């Protein structure tokens, strides 16, 4: 699942995962099933769970919505891996959400509602920590970067990374004495390991890759996804892209999220 308050970049992050094609599950969402079968998204979740299919679910950080989801999957054998996207202040989220709404020709979410979501973060983080198997925390202030990894009651922070204030506050909620990793957190192999979806069971598995090999990033169809993919590879992988013959310099990440305005 992908979660965070309004305006932090959940939809763009979901597009990045789908573009990287790391697991078939990231191409399967309740929204797509709902459109195909002409049913509600809530019913699509129920059908996916009934069929025991892996899927990616983008969810707002709303107490009742999360509790309803956990009730649907509880006891059904799912391992829930959570990507939590964060920003430093509610002002950043309000501005981004307003830009996004303007791009889509929609009314922006009320600023008071978004500020209210920020006030509820402590309660929601505790709920996530209790219900999911693992949480990977991503800061989206200047492109996505891993700033925390929580599992089995322990929180690890990446060495050599500046930890934003919002992540420091979360440390106080779930693990006041977090461990420091020896290097960058390996977001790829341990987090995305899993089974293939039923729709891909008949397809031959791809050639196994080496421990240091990362998937090739393909351009996303939605505006801004390519730029985010480039920054994600620089920040997380710390190496050049594969197959394209182009070396990405570390300062690419410093472009910030301006190329993906109003992320939600």
């Amino acid at each position: 699942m992908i979660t965070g308050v309004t305006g932090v970049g959940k939809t763009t992050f979901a597009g990045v995962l789908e573009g990287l094609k790391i697991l078939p599950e990231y191409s399967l969402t309740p929204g797509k099933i709902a459109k195909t079968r002409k049913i509600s998204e809530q019913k699509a979740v129920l059908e996916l769970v009934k069929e025991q299919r892996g899927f990616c679910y983008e969810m707002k950080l709303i107490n009742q919505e999360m509790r309803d989801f956990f009730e649907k999957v509880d006891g059904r054998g799912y391992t829930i891996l959570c990507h939590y996207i964060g920003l430093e202040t509610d002002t950043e989220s309000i501005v981004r959400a307003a830009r996004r709404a303007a791009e889509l020709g929609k009314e922006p979410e009320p600023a008071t509602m978004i500020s209210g979501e920020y006030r509820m973060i402590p309660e929601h983080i505790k709920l996530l920590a209790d219900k999911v198997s693992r949480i990977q925390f991503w800061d989206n202030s200047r492109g996505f970067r891993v700033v925390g990894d929580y599992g089995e009651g322990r929180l690890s922070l990446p060495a050599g990374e500046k930890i934003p204030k919002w992540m420091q506050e979360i440390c106080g909620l779930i693990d006041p004495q977090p461990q420091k990793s020896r290097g960058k957190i390996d977001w790829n192999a341990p987090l995305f390991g899993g089974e293939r979806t039923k729709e891909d069971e008949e397809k031959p598995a791809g050639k196994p890759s080496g421990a240091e090999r990362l998937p090739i990033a393909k351009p996303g169809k939605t505006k801004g996804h390519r730029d985010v993919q480039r920054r994600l590879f620089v920040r997380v992988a710390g190496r050049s892209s594969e197959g394209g013959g182009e070396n990405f310099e570390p300062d690419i990440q410093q472009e910030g999220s301006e190329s993906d305005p109003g992320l939600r």
Side-chain angles (χ1 to χ4, degrees):
M1 64 181 289
I2 301 170
T3 191
V5 301
T6 299
V8 295
K10 298 185 296 295
T11 299
T12 298
F13 190 85
V16 171
L17 294 183
E18 183 171 356
L20 293 177
K21 300 184 184 300
I22 295 170
L23 269 189
E25 282 86 343
Y26 288 100
S27 294
L28 184 61
T29 68
K32 291 180 181 179
I33 295 296
K35 289 181 180 179
T36 301
R37 302 181 184 180
K38 295 180 172 54
I39 56 178
S40 69
E41 191 167 303
Q42 290 72 26
K43 188 173 181 180
V45 172
L46 287 173
E47 293 194 2
L48 286 167
V49 172
K50 183 178 180 180
E51 295 165 11
Q52 289 288 284
R53 302 178 73 177
F55 60 95
C56 181
Y57 194 26
E58 179 188 332
M59 186 187 310
K60 281 188 177 182
L61 202 65
I62 298 176
N63 193 300
Q64 192 56 52
E65 185 174 338
M66 289 194 299
R67 290 185 183 278
D68 289 345
F69 172 72
F70 292 135
E71 186 176 336
K72 290 182 178 73
V73 300
D74 188 39
R76 304 304 296 267
Y78 278 92
T79 297
I80 305 176
L81 307 177
C82 175
H83 300 282
Y84 177 91
I85 317 296
L87 285 173
E88 200 66 84
T89 67
D90 58 348
T91 300
E92 291 181 76
S93 289
I94 292 167
V95 171
R96 294 186 186 200
R99 281 185 192 160
R100 180 66 170 174
E103 285 183 351
L104 300 175
K106 297 181 178 180
E107 287 293 321
E109 299 281 8
T112 53
M113 184 201 77
I114 297 176
S115 295
E117 290 180 19
Y118 270 79
R119 288 192 294 272
M120 293 295 292
I121 284 177
E123 179 179 338
H124 294 154
I125 289 296
K126 291 177 181 178
L127 175 61
L128 285 174
D130 182 58
K131 293 291 186 179
V132 307
S133 300
R134 190 169 183 179
I135 309 173
Q136 195 118 62
F137 295 95
W138 296 78
D139 180 67
N140 190 24
S141 298
R142 290 183 175 273
F144 299 105
R145 65 188 180 101
V146 180
V147 292
D149 191 7
Y150 180 80
E152 298 182 346
R154 296 297 299 166
L155 176 65
S156 295
L157 303 178
E161 287 283 352
K162 181 179 179 181
I163 306 301
K165 183 179 177 181
W166 67 262
M167 185 67 226
Q168 295 176 29
E169 292 173 350
I170 286 176
C171 290
L173 295 171
I174 59 177
D175 190 352
Q177 295 182 322
Q179 300 174 341
K180 277 283 187 178
S181 63
R182 293 184 178 180
K184 301 287 185 181
I185 290 175
D186 185 359
W187 68 279
N188 189 5
L191 187 63
F192 297 133
E195 298 179 356
R196 308 168 79 196
T197 57
K198 288 186 178 181
E199 63 183 350
D200 287 292
E201 286 175 354
E202 302 301 323
K203 299 179 182 179
K207 294 181 180 180
S209 58
E212 292 299 316
R213 185 172 178 81
L214 287 173
I216 297 172
K218 297 185 178 180
K221 294 183 179 180
T222 303
K223 178 182 178 182
H225 285 181
R226 182 177 177 82
D227 293 333
V228 176
Q229 288 172 4
R230 288 161 62 96
R231 292 199 302 276
L232 183 66
F233 265 66
V234 171
R235 294 300 301 180
V236 180
R239 55 175 70 87
S240 63
S241 68
E242 296 180 346
E246 178 184 2
N247 290 328
F248 295 144
E249 298 298 330
D251 60 0
I252 289 177
Q253 192 273 341
Q254 297 299 327
E255 291 171 1
S257 297
E258 287 77 10
S259 59
D260 312 291
L263 306 182
R264 293 183 61 192

